[in-house]
Amino acid sequence: MEEALAKIRPHTTSNLAHQKAPANLLQALESTFQEKHTDRTPTAYFAALITTLDGSIQKKETSLGDGDVLPAELYLLALVAPFVPPPVIQTNLNTLLSLTAPLFPALMAHAPPLRSQLTLYNAVFRALDKSQLDVSAVRQSFASILQLCLDPRPKVRKKAADIVKDVLSFPPSPLIWHPYAQRVAEWAHIALQQASSGALPKSKSSGKGSDTSAAETAIHLLAFLRPVLPNLPLDAIPPITTTLLTLPRLGNPYLSQAAYSILSDLFAASTTTGTASAIEQIPAVLNAVLESPPAKADNSISPSWIRVLGDAMFAYHVADPSACAAEFNRVWKTVWSYFETKQPQTRKAVAESLVLLTRCITSSIMKDSILDGEAGKSPLRSVISQMTKALDSLAFASAMQELLSVISALVSNLGVRVDPAKSTTATEALLMPLVSKIADLRVQKGFEHKEAADAVLSTAMRVVGPAVLLAAIPLNLEPSDRQAGKEPRAFLLPMLNQPHPSLLGHFVSYFVPMSERMFNLQQKADSEGRQSEAKVWSVLVAQIWTGFAGYCHAPPDVKTALTPAFSQLLSQLLYGQPDLRPPVLRGLKALIESNKIIASQVDADMGESSTSDNTITPEQASQNLAFLKTQVESWFAVFFNVFGSVDRDNRGMVGDVISVWAGLAEKQDIAKAYRKVVDLFRQSLQQSDNGNTTAMTQDLLILLLPFLDAQDVAALFSTCLAQEVLCHKDNGVQKRGYKILAKLLEKGKAEEDALQTFQRLDELSVGLTPAAKKDRFILLSLLILRVPSESLHIIPSLIPEAVLGTKEPSEKARSAAFELVVAMGQKMSQGGIVKRSMVDGMDEDGAEAQASINEYMTMVAGGLAGASPHMISATVTAVSRLVFEFRESIDAQMQTEIFTTLLVFLSSANREIIKSTLGYIKLAIHTLPIELLRPHLKELVPALLAWSHDHKNHFKAKVRHIFERMIRRFGWNDVYQAAGEDQAAKVLVNIKKRKERAKRKRAREDDDEEEVEEATKGKVPTGDAFEDVLYGSESELDDSDEDEQVSRPTAGPKRKGIEQGVRLRVDDDEPMDLLQGVASRLTNAQANRRRKPGQDAGHFKTDTDTGKIVINEDEESDIEVSSRKAAKDVAGSAYRESMTSVDGFTRGPNGRIKFNKDTKKRRRENEDEDGDVEMADGAATATKKNKRPMEPKLGHEFKAKKAGGDVKKGGVDPYAYMSLSQAAKKKGRNRTGIAGKHR
């Protein structure tokens, strides 16, 4: 509420009467509150406005102009009412109704105050209980609002509709349906009947009479019904549904589309929410909709009509599957007939409805189709045959994309084992010929819908598995298959990675030998120097093993497939094949996780095993896990060896697999593996130069930590809390040492004495490296929680380290240091005793102090007396975080002392201190109460203005942001009066002008509101409230800076998506069969705009005899010409140009610059130079002609017409008279090489 009121207060000086009146009224109310010392609560505002409204009505000041009092009172009441407690509104209901209800007739002609009244009643209705809703005045007011839902004014109509929706959405507490829901349903039903009683106009040419208003009323009514229908009683839905079905018969396209759309939403809601509001009427709805099909070319009604059929059938299937199955064939044929349209919206709607219809296929339909045989006439067989023919039909050419999506949905929905005794799915029994046909289309050269075909094949791979799919669609990747002329299908290999029902034994028997043969072919190609072919085979091997994870999703044959031989092969791949290591690790990880998930479903519903996606039962999964437990020890050895052999960056995946298998292992296996790792860890510590091995063993220990027992945990804690680990010269060893200690404490496994641990860590802090500080801070934060309340004297010794940590270069280390500072504050705020005699540097006879947040703030503030600016700056930053974190706990006196103390540092000369202090000031203005800060404005504002002109470290921008916040919180007058000097106050005047300018700019750009918001939005919130306050919320005036005009990105003209027609690709060399294989002959218009290979060849000359391209050696490329020109410029022409050209300049004796005059002579010289450059390029034409005629050269009469000149100044005879011996010396000109190119 305060934010909304803050936007109104500045409008007291507005030139607009409707803005100025509410602001003046609000100012008067708040002045009254201040005089009577009343808190500004929503109840106080509400009571004052009711009293003011009563006075205005009694004085008969009921005019509703822009600057009148009554609209302003209603506006403020509407703004305050949502924040008023419901008991207050219930108590004052009679007063409120007596004042506002009689205003409805007068407000009908004035939309703004009417909207305010509607907003007020929205809050009133939601605050009433059931008994008050039955009051006649309340019911009459609701009836008036209900009639406004059909008001011709859009804003009034929308406001009234929102009120009805909100009221029905929040019924009184024990009720499920609102008491007014039945009344709204009856009113909507009557209004619909009135709208459908007469014929509505079919076009705009009918004129604007009563019929037009009736059409608009029906449109408004349907817009009102859409959000309200889910909140109406179930028994009220059928009459409305029946009336909705009559609207399409009136012939108005928009009404028909809206009616169908509402019906579709109604059916979709009944399936998602589990209600059966319209289920009883589905047969009647289906018949009515099927009896009034729109024209296929009607792009406005057809999509909505088709969606109604799909949603109705799916809702029917949920309610009564057997009855829905009887209507399946009729509805499918009706929807399918619209697939041949050229309208993309209609085809999309057809695809969506057919996808829903595929979900309506019951197990009985599947059984009948399987028993019927391939030549049967069952509904499902007819559907499959229809789809198969459509793939080759020219009529469905434009719908190929949508057709493939429907086939994909059919493959997915038939993936059910009809007979629980058999593992065969309906997809395998019925759809494999169709899938094979799509695979054949996929390999054809001209087929353009490969992504959609891949989606179908991928779905089939997931449903039936590779064992079944590859039997029908072979890969054809080996040389023998290629020699037989079979098309390879390597695109199937990436689809193996998804979970599927095939056995792991199929991978062992089929793909493992294939990968071995391909690996041999790769080795052979490498040895013979065929690198490209070797790369192809290596990629195929990698794709095969990428599919290994898909076979590992809960396979039923783990015991028989995971043989010692296969396990040995996997181990060899992990050791020797780095490229294949990730897929093998993913498979071994999925093997454990998938079985664990299924085994945990023992208590779940077991009644749907035949339709479940799981290929095994929970009992089988438990047996698989029991078998895998016996393999843990051997696999641990493999994983640990692989973990030690890879570098640090690649250990993450191996560590994940170790964690998963460790969760399956028995305690003795974990203990055995732990002892081996710890022994290796201790041995590596003795070798001071072996940091990599030590870090590797520490990583393994971190992975095993969650599974260790108490004895091993204690031993490990003492091992890591040693000088050899925490003072190791290797950064990684130190980091991991602190991390192990922190994880042991975090999981509650270690029961160590906190004080002794602190003492030991203090002794080992000498050899601390910067890289380990983050983990050390985390460890200290966890240890603080274990400190006894009578031993809080340890905290003062930790404060300097934590405070200095807030200035670390590493962001993670700074965050950990802040968390440590806050953790110590939370520990102190819980109470306890601080024994000052035990604090280092304190007198031994010091008294004990009670722990509190104020005492802790005093301890931290001691760093402000530090010797270095760095320590002072860090202390200011730490104090800022504590003030923000404990703003509710620190008392006002301490807050004042902190503020006045840090205010002194604004006069410091050190920029590091100033930067931290500005951050604190910004946070204080945002966080602290206004009453606490207002007395210090006279000292704060001048201190900030001293840095308002300093550009270094962005101080000017920071100060400007602070002043913007101050003006928003304290008001312009208070801040301006505290500025003092006129010169300093100019900064504030400038900020105010910039703000007003930015406001006007936003007002001018209301049309592009969304783009402006995106262009001017500040930093994205980080999720840390302290960071957002300190560094976020940048100035709202940045974009209005006149010195920094940043051009907003303007979006180019948006091109509407034009549906490109599908065309036939013509091949002159081959006849076309339009009855078969049409899908591979289709292309769209965009394909004609693709770049064709070799199209640049038309720019070159060709030899007439051979047709080959002729490239002359003596012709220089543009690159050569430009490089020669640049070399010429570098040679000295740049200096000459600066002295003589029009753009050049010279310096006089006193150093002053004198620009060259733009004379005709200089321009002519420049043009001559430009002409020389063009002649140097070898171009025969010049852009400009010289004004002076050129002198004829010697021998010009002998010059050939088609030559560049054959007479030289030296007197050499023309080429026509050269001797053969001279011509023979001209080698290399126009001779034809082996490639047939003239040189």
Side-chain angles (χ1 to χ4, degrees):
M1 184 187 72
E2 184 60 31
E3 293 180 3
L5 294 177
K7 296 178 181 178
I8 298 175
R9 294 188 185 103
H11 292 300
T12 53
T13 59
S14 175
N15 295 326
L16 301 176
H18 70 279
Q19 291 182 353
K20 186 175 182 179
N24 290 334
L25 178 59
L26 179 62
Q27 188 177 22
L29 292 177
E30 291 179 344
S31 300
T32 305
F33 293 159
Q34 190 172 0
E35 291 174 1
K36 296 182 178 181
H37 303 287
T38 305
D39 294 335
R40 298 179 180 181
T41 61
T43 304
Y45 281 106
F46 182 74
L49 288 170
I50 289 293
T51 305
T52 308
L53 180 62
D54 188 15
S56 300
I57 293 176
Q58 289 181 0
K59 295 177 183 178
K60 296 184 179 180
E61 297 178 357
T62 57
S63 57
L64 298 171
D66 284 346
D68 295 326
V69 179
L70 185 58
E73 293 167 347
L74 291 175
Y75 180 78
L76 291 179
L77 265 176
L79 190 145
V80 172
F83 304 98
V84 178
V88 177
I89 295 179
Q90 294 173 6
T91 306
N92 296 274
L93 177 63
N94 294 330
T95 305
L96 189 63
L97 289 176
S98 63
L99 294 175
T100 57
L103 297 176
F104 268 112
L107 292 174
M108 289 298 178
H110 302 274
L114 178 60
R115 294 201 304 271
S116 300
Q117 173 118 326
L118 292 175
T119 306
L120 170 64
Y121 270 80
N122 190 3
V124 171
F125 282 124
R126 294 180 61 175
L128 302 182
D129 55 17
K130 185 178 183 302
S131 61
Q132 291 175 319
L133 289 171
D134 295 331
V135 177
S136 60
V138 177
R139 297 176 66 87
Q140 290 174 2
S141 300
F142 187 79
S144 301
I145 294 173
L146 205 56
Q147 293 299 327
L148 288 174
C149 292
L150 301 180
D151 194 89
R153 293 166 291 188
K155 292 184 178 180
V156 174
R157 184 173 65 249
K158 185 177 185 305
K159 181 68 69 174
D162 290 343
I163 290 175
V164 175
K165 182 190 70 172
D166 293 343
V167 169
L168 297 185
S169 300
F170 298 96
S173 161
L175 302 178
I176 299 177
W177 303 103
H178 199 279
Y180 291 168
Q182 187 66 36
R183 184 175 183 180
V184 172
E186 293 174 358
W187 175 82
H189 183 217
I190 295 172
L192 279 175
Q193 286 181 332
Q194 293 174 353
S196 61
S197 60
L200 298 180
K202 296 183 180 180
S203 64
K204 297 181 180 179
S205 60
S206 303
K208 294 185 178 180
S210 59
D211 288 341
T212 303
S213 62
E216 291 177 355
T217 301
I219 291 171
H220 301 336
L221 184 59
L222 292 178
F224 161 77
L225 267 179
R226 185 185 299 274
V228 171
L229 270 178
N231 299 315
L232 298 183
L234 298 180
D235 55 351
I237 298 297
I240 295 177
T241 305
T242 305
T243 313
L244 283 173
L245 288 172
T246 62
L247 293 179
R249 300 174 184 173
L250 302 178
N252 188 290
Y254 183 82
L255 281 180
S256 302
Q257 180 185 3
Y260 287 137
S261 179
I262 290 175
L263 285 172
S264 181
D265 293 344
L266 186 61
F267 291 130
S270 66
T271 56
T272 54
T273 60
T275 61
S277 57
I279 297 301
E280 296 81 359
Q281 285 209 318
I282 288 180
V285 171
L286 280 175
N287 290 328
V289 173
L290 290 172
E291 288 174 0
S292 57
K296 295 181 180 179
D298 191 348
N299 196 28
S300 59
I301 302 178
S302 296
S304 302
W305 181 83
I306 292 168
R307 287 190 178 95
V308 170
L309 291 176
D311 291 327
M313 281 294 290
F314 185 60
Y316 201 13
H317 172 73
V318 173
D320 191 353
S322 59
C324 175
E327 299 288 341
F328 173 79
N329 196 24
R330 180 166 69 123
V331 177
W332 181 280
K333 288 181 179 179
T334 304
V335 176
W336 180 270
S337 62
Y338 284 81
F339 236 153
E340 302 176 12
T341 182
K342 296 182 180 179
Q343 304 296 333
Q345 293 88 349
T346 304
R347 293 200 307 267
K348 183 180 178 181
V350 170
E352 293 174 358
S353 294
L354 291 180
V355 167
L356 287 176
L357 286 173
T358 59
R359 300 174 65 180
C360 300
I361 300 174
T362 60
S363 57
S364 60
I365 297 178
M366 300 179 197
K367 287 181 181 178
D368 295 341
S369 302
I370 293 174
L371 297 175
D372 202 15
E374 294 184 3
K377 300 297 183 181
S378 62
L380 188 53
R381 289 281 185 184
S382 301
V383 168
I384 297 172
S385 174
Q386 206 173 30
M387 289 182 173
T388 306
K389 293 177 182 178
L391 290 175
D392 290 329
S393 175
L394 189 61
F396 294 90
S398 57
M400 188 60 59
Q401 190 86 11
E402 293 83 1
L403 177 61
L404 290 173
S405 67
V406 175
I407 295 175
S408 178
L410 184 63
V411 171
S412 177
N413 291 315
L414 293 187
V416 178
R417 294 191 292 275
V418 180
D419 188 358
K422 298 180 181 180
S423 60
T424 304
T425 61
T427 301
E428 182 180 351
L430 298 173
L431 295 180
M432 291 313 297
L434 180 60
V435 174
S436 300
K437 186 175 183 62
I438 294 175
D440 294 337
L441 286 175
R442 171 66 174 77
V443 297
Q444 293 186 13
K445 184 178 180 181
F447 187 70
E448 294 187 348
H449 303 283
K450 294 183 178 180
E451 292 83 1
D454 285 344
V456 177
L457 297 174
S458 179
T459 305
M461 183 77 76
R462 174 175 53 83
V463 172
V464 301
V468 177
L469 189 65
L470 297 182
I473 311 171
L475 288 172
N476 299 333
L477 296 177
E478 301 191 48
S480 58
D481 298 324
R482 299 303 308 276
Q483 292 173 3
K486 300 177 182 178
E487 285 291 334
R489 297 189 177 97
F491 54 84
L492 293 175
L493 291 178
M495 304 175 189
L496 297 171
N497 194 25
Q498 57 186 332
H500 51 72
S502 290
L503 303 177
L504 180 59
H506 178 261
F507 184 85
V508 177
S509 61
Y510 183 82
F511 280 110
V512 170
M514 179 184 289
S515 66
E516 292 176 353
R517 292 193 296 270
M518 290 183 177
F519 182 75
N520 294 333
L521 291 171
Q522 175 194 350
Q523 298 295 325
K524 182 179 179 182
D526 267 333
S527 62
E528 295 177 0
R530 302 193 303 272
Q531 301 299 329
S532 299
E533 182 181 345
K535 182 64 176 177
V536 170
W537 293 120
S538 66
V539 170
L540 291 175
V541 171
Q543 287 184 341
I544 287 174
W545 280 98
T546 302
F548 173 63
Y551 282 91
C552 291
H553 282 275
D557 62 335
V558 173
K559 296 180 182 179
T560 57
L562 197 61
T563 60
F566 184 55
S567 300
Q568 183 180 3
L569 173 63
L570 295 178
S571 304
Q572 291 174 355
L573 292 177
L574 291 175
Y575 286 135
Q577 297 293 332
D579 295 337
L580 303 182
R581 188 180 295 140
V584 173
L585 291 172
R586 279 195 294 269
L588 293 173
K589 182 182 178 183
L591 194 62
I592 304 294
E593 290 179 339
S594 58
N595 280 287
K596 276 189 173 182
I597 292 173
I598 298 176
S600 63
Q601 300 173 356
V602 176
D603 298 331
D605 254 340
M606 299 298 301
E608 304 201 356
S609 58
S610 62
T611 59
S612 175
D613 291 336
N614 300 334
T615 56
I616 62 174
T617 62
E619 290 81 3
Q620 291 175 318
S622 300
Q623 294 174 4
N624 288 343
L625 292 175
F627 169 74
L628 292 172
K629 281 184 181 180
T630 62
Q631 309 288 320
V632 168
E633 184 178 355
S634 58
W635 279 111
F636 266 176
V638 174
F639 292 149
F640 288 174
N641 290 334
V642 173
F643 191 87
S645 63
V646 299
D647 53 1
R648 294 183 179 182
D649 297 334
N650 297 325
R651 288 175 183 169
M653 183 174 291
V654 186
D656 293 341
V657 179
I658 292 175
S659 299
V660 171
W661 279 75
L664 180 67
E666 299 287 351
K667 290 184 178 180
Q668 59 268 22
D669 295 331
I670 294 291
K672 187 176 181 180
Y674 164 74
R675 284 192 292 271
K676 291 182 179 179
V677 176
V678 166
D679 292 341
L680 183 60
F681 175 52
R682 290 169 179 167
Q683 292 175 7
S684 61
L685 284 176
Q686 297 175 359
Q687 302 172 1
S688 58
D689 57 344
N690 198 2
N692 292 331
T693 305
T694 308
M696 182 269 294
T697 54
Q698 286 177 309
D699 289 334
L700 288 175
L701 289 173
I702 292 173
L703 295 173
L704 296 176
L705 280 182
F707 314 102
L708 299 181
D709 54 16
Q711 183 179 358
D712 293 334
V713 165
L716 181 60
F717 194 91
S718 60
T719 302
C720 292
L721 192 64
Q723 183 177 2
E724 294 81 5
V725 178
L726 300 184
C727 294
H728 199 279
K729 64 179 181 180
D730 188 84
N731 293 338
V733 176
Q734 283 194 25
K735 288 174 57 178
R736 288 165 176 81
Y738 282 109
K739 186 178 293 185
I740 291 173
L741 295 173
K743 285 186 176 294
L744 289 174
L745 291 175
E746 184 180 5
K747 298 183 181 300
K749 290 180 172 292
E751 299 293 338
E752 299 293 329
D753 187 3
L755 297 181
Q756 293 182 1
T757 306
F758 273 122
Q759 183 179 358
R760 183 63 176 156
L761 289 174
D762 187 35
E763 296 172 357
L764 299 175
S765 62
V766 179
L768 181 67
T769 59
K773 288 185 177 181
K774 179 201 73 170
D775 297 290
R776 178 180 171 88
F777 291 145
I778 294 174
L779 174 61
L780 293 176
S781 301
L782 295 171
L783 278 173
I784 284 293
L785 303 177
R786 296 169 174 260
V787 174
S789 58
E790 66 275 4
S791 303
L792 297 180
H793 59 272
I794 196 69
I795 289 180
S797 61
L798 296 176
I799 289 177
E801 182 180 0
V803 168
L804 287 175
T806 61
K807 303 289 286 185
E808 283 292 320
S810 170
E811 181 182 358
K812 293 181 179 180
R814 290 198 305 271
S815 300
F818 276 124
E819 293 300 325
L820 175 57
V821 171
V822 173
M824 290 190 291
Q826 292 172 347
K827 189 68 178 179
M828 290 285 289
S829 63
Q830 294 173 3
I833 299 174
V834 180
K835 299 177 182 178
R836 294 179 177 175
S837 60
M838 301 185 68
V839 178
D840 294 339
M842 298 288 289
D843 296 335
E844 294 183 0
D845 55 351
E848 295 181 350
Q850 291 295 324
S852 65
I853 189 60
N854 291 340
E855 180 69 18
Y856 180 64
M857 293 297 299
T858 306
M859 295 177 183
V860 176
L864 296 175
S868 65
H870 186 73
M871 182 63 190
I872 298 174
S873 174
T875 304
V876 174
T877 305
V879 168
S880 303
R881 177 58 183 264
L882 290 172
V883 167
F884 176 78
E885 199 73 29
F886 300 98
R887 55 188 178 275
E888 305 295 338
S889 305
I890 303 175
D891 56 27
Q893 182 180 357
M894 175 60 70
Q895 293 279 24
T896 304
E897 292 178 0
I898 293 173
F899 188 83
T900 54
T901 302
L902 295 185
L903 191 59
V904 177
F905 286 102
L906 279 178
S907 59
S908 172
N910 186 275
R911 292 185 173 273
E912 187 178 6
I913 298 176
I914 292 297
K915 184 177 181 181
S916 300
T917 308
L918 288 176
Y920 168 77
I921 297 296
K922 182 177 180 181
L923 182 138
I925 292 173
H926 180 275
T927 305
L928 299 184
I930 297 178
E931 297 77 11
L932 190 145
L933 297 177
R934 194 181 296 276
H936 305 286
L937 284 180
K938 292 185 178 180
E939 296 84 15
L940 176 61
V941 174
L944 288 173
L945 288 172
W947 296 97
S948 61
H949 300 288
D950 197 324
H951 291 272
K952 292 182 180 179
N953 300 100
H954 306 285
F955 282 172
K956 180 179 179 180
K958 292 178 185 295
V959 171
R960 191 175 70 213
H961 301 166
I962 293 173
F963 275 124
E964 290 171 18
R965 290 193 175 199
M966 292 174 65
I967 292 172
R968 286 199 294 267
R969 290 206 74 186
F970 301 104
W972 160 257
N973 294 329
D974 293 348
V975 178
Y976 184 77
Q977 291 173 3
E981 302 177 4
D982 293 340
Q983 194 68 22
K986 288 182 179 179
V987 176
L988 298 176
V989 175
N990 176 260
I991 291 176
K992 183 179 180 181
K993 289 182 179 179
R994 289 159 57 90
K995 187 174 182 179
E996 293 175 351
R997 187 162 58 245
K999 189 175 181 180
R1000 291 194 300 269
K1001 183 178 180 181
R1002 285 196 299 269
R1004 290 194 302 268
E1005 296 173 349
D1006 281 341
D1007 294 338
D1008 301 328
E1009 182 177 358
E1010 294 182 359
E1011 296 180 9
V1012 172
E1013 287 177 358
E1014 293 183 0
T1016 60
K1017 65 182 180 181
K1019 295 182 178 180
V1020 178
T1022 61
D1024 186 345
F1026 176 71
E1027 295 283 338
D1028 293 339
V1029 171
L1030 199 59
Y1031 304 112
S1033 181
E1034 296 298 339
S1035 173
E1036 61 182 13
L1037 310 179
D1038 287 343
D1039 291 339
S1040 64
D1041 193 349
E1042 32 193 28
D1043 299 332
E1044 300 175 1
Q1045 292 290 338
V1046 181
S1047 60
R1048 289 174 48 241
T1050 57
K1054 296 182 179 179
R1055 301 180 60 186
K1056 296 182 179 179
I1058 303 175
E1059 177 68 15
Q1060 302 292 343
V1062 177
R1063 303 178 181 179
L1064 290 173
R1065 184 186 294 107
V1066 180
D1067 191 348
D1068 298 331
D1069 297 334
E1070 184 179 350
M1072 182 179 299
D1073 185 2
L1074 295 180
L1075 300 179
Q1076 187 175 2
V1078 179
S1080 62
R1081 299 284 186 180
L1082 300 178
T1083 184
N1084 53 29
Q1086 293 179 351
N1088 297 332
R1089 293 196 295 268
R1090 295 176 183 171
R1091 183 181 180 275
K1092 299 178 181 179
Q1095 65 181 1
D1096 294 334
H1099 301 298
F1100 296 92
K1101 297 179 181 179
T1102 56
D1103 187 23
T1104 55
D1105 297 332
T1106 62
K1108 296 181 180 180
I1109 296 175
V1110 178
I1111 301 175
N1112 294 329
E1113 276 188 348
D1114 54 347
E1115 291 184 2
E1116 294 180 339
S1117 65
D1118 295 339
I1119 298 176
E1120 294 172 341
V1121 173
S1122 60
S1123 62
R1124 190 177 66 250
K1125 180 181 177 183
K1128 179 181 177 183
D1129 290 342
V1130 172
S1133 60
Y1135 173 75
R1136 178 176 55 82
E1137 183 180 358
S1138 67
M1139 298 295 295
T1140 59
S1141 69
V1142 178
D1143 299 327
F1145 63 88
T1146 56
R1147 291 184 181 271
N1150 56 356
R1152 299 182 63 181
I1153 293 176
K1154 181 180 180 181
F1155 290 95
N1156 296 337
K1157 293 183 179 180
D1158 186 12
T1159 61
K1160 292 183 179 179
K1161 182 178 179 181
R1162 281 202 175 96
R1163 287 199 301 270
R1164 185 167 59 248
E1165 290 175 354
N1166 290 347
E1167 290 173 1
D1168 292 344
E1169 292 176 1
D1170 294 342
D1172 295 341
V1173 172
E1174 291 181 358
M1175 290 299 293
D1177 290 342
T1181 59
T1183 56
K1184 296 182 180 179
K1185 295 182 179 179
N1186 293 330
K1187 295 182 180 180
R1188 291 182 296 178
M1190 296 179 62
E1191 294 291 336
K1193 293 184 179 181
L1194 177 65
H1196 67 91
E1197 64 272 15
F1198 300 106
K1199 182 179 180 180
K1201 295 180 180 180
K1202 296 183 180 181
D1206 53 356
V1207 176
K1208 293 185 178 181
K1209 190 174 182 180
V1212 181
D1213 292 336
Y1215 294 128
Y1217 299 98
M1218 286 180 64
S1219 61
L1220 291 178
S1221 59
Q1222 289 178 318
K1225 296 179 181 179
K1226 301 290 183 179
K1227 293 183 179 180
R1229 293 185 58 84
N1230 292 337
R1231 58 189 180 89
T1232 303
I1234 298 176
K1237 296 181 181 179
H1238 293 283
R1239 304 193 179 204

